[in-house]
Amino acid sequence: MSGVEKALAAFRDVHGYDPEGVFSAPGRVNLIGEHTDHNEGHVLPFAIDRRTYVAVARRDDDRVTVCSDDPDTEPAELAVGKLVTASGWSAYPLGTVWALGVDGGWDLVVHGEVPLGAGLSSSAALESAVALAVDELTGAGLGRVALAEAGRRAENEVVGAPVGIMDQAASLLCREGSALLLDCRSMTTEDVALGFETAGLAVLVIDSRVRHDLADGGYADRRAACVAAAEALGVPALRDATLPAVENLPEGAPRKRARHVVTEEARVHETVALVRAGRPREVGAVLAASHASLRDDYEVSVPEVDAIVDAAVGEGALGARIMGGGFGGSVIALVPTDAVDAVGRACAALSPRPTVREVSPAAGARRER
């Protein structure tokens, strides 16, 4: 069965009738621009061909129910006014409904195909599918940027993860075949055709199987260090800082975190320039520089991830780096198509055994039925 059919079947099993609609949204990989989003900088993500499906129907009371066909998840039910108190996995969909500020109850049944905890933004896929469903079925017409803001607010204020808006924006706004150049301050976007397939390149996402939780202290500590660095430099956000100014900061975490953000911001623009100039193979070196910065300055890599990067490059990848929040998750690697099998075998031989997936740029959130 397709993902749509599985979501429909799950809804019928739970509620005994058909939903009003089925909506889906994709996970994402971020080609370049890691931890620049919450510093009001630029990012370059693309949606992937792994999606989360939500079957949805309105209720005639003020209750919102959510369940999943994943047996490891517990169903939840809350009154609309209590959604901000949601916890566990259900905080993502329930928090999104709360953030949208709509009246009335909902039945939500989820079928997810975005791997959990692997740096592919399964949470944003879920939030984006729910947000689009509620927006379309109520006729609110909020617009996709507003829906992305609702997903971020759910994570910030209900889940307790101080994430930026990149993941939700990518899940809602990306177009098939392109990455999304997103200015996280102005929320302006540009589609960027990558040209990887024409150049004989593939993108591999290699799940380290080392899990992380962005609501824990590591991510928040780094974000706080970025805020401290911006304050010390007298700029609104680190996107406005210069590298010479950063290097004049005292030794310590704020200086290192700021150095990563400022150099990563430059790498975003370098990558866009390279692919637009028809030189996508050179993006590999940019990915390698990004990983070194994330490992040494932002300090969010772990030994298992570093081993994957080394194995991928050793077997022919043009470049590879950790992506997502860090502390585990996945590696993105830019690989010539004739080296895909060798890179996959080398990475799969590591321990714990990583999962290797080839991905391509896909469309953002949509109504399926």
Side-chain angles (χ1 to χ4, degrees), residues 227-248:
V227 172
E231 290 176 349
L233 292 166
V235 294
L238 286 179
R239 72 168 283 164
D240 304 300
T242 65
L243 188 57
V246 168
E247 297 292 11
N248 283 330

Side-chain angles (χ1 to χ4, degrees), residues 119-210:
L120 297 174
S121 208
S122 57
S123 60
L126 176 54
E127 292 155 359
S128 298
V130 169
L132 184 63
V134 171
D135 184 61
E136 286 207 8
L137 292 178
T138 60
L142 295 176
R144 295 208 171 198
V145 171
L147 300 184
E149 291 280 7
R152 177 171 68 169
R153 190 178 178 202
E155 293 226 27
N156 292 170
E157 299 183 37
V158 181
V159 177
V163 299
I165 199 170
M166 176 188 67
D167 295 349
Q168 294 82 5
S171 188
L172 282 153
L173 296 170
C174 277
R175 298 180 184 273
E176 187 170 359
S178 294
L180 185 77
L181 177 62
L182 169 67
D183 183 328
C184 295
R185 172 176 287 167
S186 68
M187 290 304 298
T188 57
T189 63
E190 296 179 46
D191 293 325
V192 179
L194 296 172
F196 289 160
E197 183 177 358
T198 302
L201 301 173
V203 176
L204 298 185
V205 174
I206 306 154
D207 180 1
S208 70
R209 297 176 62 197
V210 176

Side-chain angles (χ1 to χ4, degrees), residues 222 253 256-257 293-301 327:
R222 281 151 182 78
K256 294 176 72 174
R257 310 310 182 229
S293 181
L294 287 159
R295 180 192 62 213
D296 300 334
D297 279 340
Y298 218 68
E299 296 182 293
V300 291
S301 192
F327 312 104

Side-chain angles (χ1 to χ4, degrees), residues 35 38-39 162-163 216-232 238 249 252-258 261 298:
H35 300 283
H38 58 79
N39 289 286
V163 299
D216 70 12
Y219 183 94
D221 287 348
R222 281 151 182 78
R223 183 162 179 171
C226 290
V227 172
E231 290 176 349
L238 286 179
L249 289 172
R255 177 181 174 182
K256 294 176 72 174
R257 310 310 182 229
V261 172
Y298 218 68

